[in-house]
Amino acid sequence: EGLAKLLPEAAIVGEEACEANPALMDRLGDALCWIIDPIDGTANYLRGVPVWATLIALSIDQKPVLSVVSAPALGRRWWAAPGVGAFTRDVDGSVRAITVSGISELENASLSYNNLQLWDSYGYLDQLMAMSRQVWRTRAYGDFLSYMYLAEGSVDIVAEHDLKIYDIAALVPIVEQAGGMFSAIDGELTPDTSSVLATNGRLHEAAALAFSRD
C-alpha cells in the first residue's frame, strides 16, 4: 500500500503474489515495476536463524536501479540508487558508504557459494570444487547476506543457483553501486536468470571462466 501511494503508476511484483497468480510475472515488462521479496531466507526465518531480510527494488525498463535490503533480526539495512551510491546502516545506527574489495587475484579471494545440493542438481558441482581449490577461502553465508558482504568488501565472489527475479532484483543495485558486477553465471542477467554470479568486478571474468561448463 505504501509503495502504491509512493508511485501509483508502477506495477508491483512479489514472491507470494506471483506464486498465487503467475500471470503477474508479465508485469515485469512494465516501464516501472516494484519487485519485492517480503522474507528472503524463509527457511532461516522459520528455524530462528536471523539471516533473513525484506528485499525491495524498483525496476525501470526491466533494469533494477534502486533498492533496499532490510534485515531487522540483524539490526542492519542496505540501500543504493544511481548518483547516490551504496550505503549501510550498522547495528549502532551509524550510516556509511560501502564499496567492494580491491582483490584482483583468485588466490586471495573469498567465495560464498550457498547450497551444495543445488550446485550438484544444476550440474556445477565439479566447477565449484575446482574453484574452491583456487580461492583463498569458501563460505556459505547464504541468501541476501552473501551479496551485502560482497558490496561491503568482505566477500569477493558470490555464486548460487535456483533463484527467481524477486530473490535477485534488490541485490543488483547495491552490488553495482558499490562498484561490483552482477550477471548470470553463464552470461547476461535477465528476468529468467536462476543461476547468478556477482563479484567485485576485478574478478568477474576469471570467476565466470572458472564456473564455465564449456
Side-chain angles (χ1 to χ4, degrees):
E1 290 176 354
L3 293 175
K5 291 178 181 177
L6 181 66
L7 203 60
E9 65 271 34
I12 299 178
V13 173
E15 179 173 7
E16 284 73 19
C18 288
E19 289 177 353
N21 181 10
L24 278 176
M25 293 293 285
D26 294 339
R27 300 298 305 274
L28 290 169
D30 286 15
L32 295 172
C33 183
W34 293 106
I35 304 173
I36 305 167
D37 189 351
I39 300 180
D40 180 60
T42 310
N44 285 342
Y45 177 82
L46 291 173
R47 294 295 299 270
V49 178
V51 182
W52 55 271
T54 297
L55 312 183
I56 303 174
L58 179 64
S59 175
I60 300 177
D61 295 329
Q62 302 185 52
K63 166 68 176 175
V65 296
L66 60 86
S67 64
V68 175
V69 171
S70 183
L74 296 176
R76 299 290 308 278
R77 181 172 290 178
W78 298 261
W79 63 93
V84 175
F87 294 84
T88 187
R89 186 186 68 198
D90 287 307
V91 177
D92 64 1
S94 61
V95 173
R96 57 188 170 91
I98 55 176
T99 59
V100 296
S101 75
I103 299 297
S104 58
E105 302 293 336
L106 286 177
E107 63 185 19
N108 298 320
S110 177
L111 162 70
S112 185
Y113 61 85
N114 206 11
N115 187 309
L116 279 177
Q117 292 93 326
L118 289 174
W119 283 83
D120 192 16
S121 66
Y122 273 72
Y124 279 90
L125 186 57
D126 289 345
Q127 285 81 356
L128 177 62
M129 296 309 297
M131 179 67 133
S132 73
R133 300 182 186 103
Q134 296 182 64
V135 298
W136 167 55
R137 67 185 308 193
T138 61
R139 291 291 185 271
Y141 296 109
D143 301 301
F144 73 95
L145 193 58
S146 295
Y147 301 89
M148 299 304 97
Y149 284 160
L150 170 64
E152 292 183 2
S154 302
V155 168
D156 312 299
I157 304 168
V158 183
E160 60 178 322
H161 303 277
D162 198 36
L163 300 179
K164 302 292 190 297
I165 184 62
Y166 33 74
D167 300 311
I168 300 168
L171 312 175
V172 174
I174 296 172
V175 168
E176 291 184 343
Q177 290 297 320
M181 292 184 65
F182 216 113
S183 72
I185 204 166
D186 58 357
E188 184 180 354
L189 189 69
T190 74
D192 297 320
T193 295
S194 62
S195 297
V196 303
L197 172 65
T199 74
N200 65 358
R202 296 170 177 84
L203 294 167
H204 208 85
E205 184 176 354
L209 182 61
F211 288 131
S212 173
R213 291 188 295 187
D214 294 337

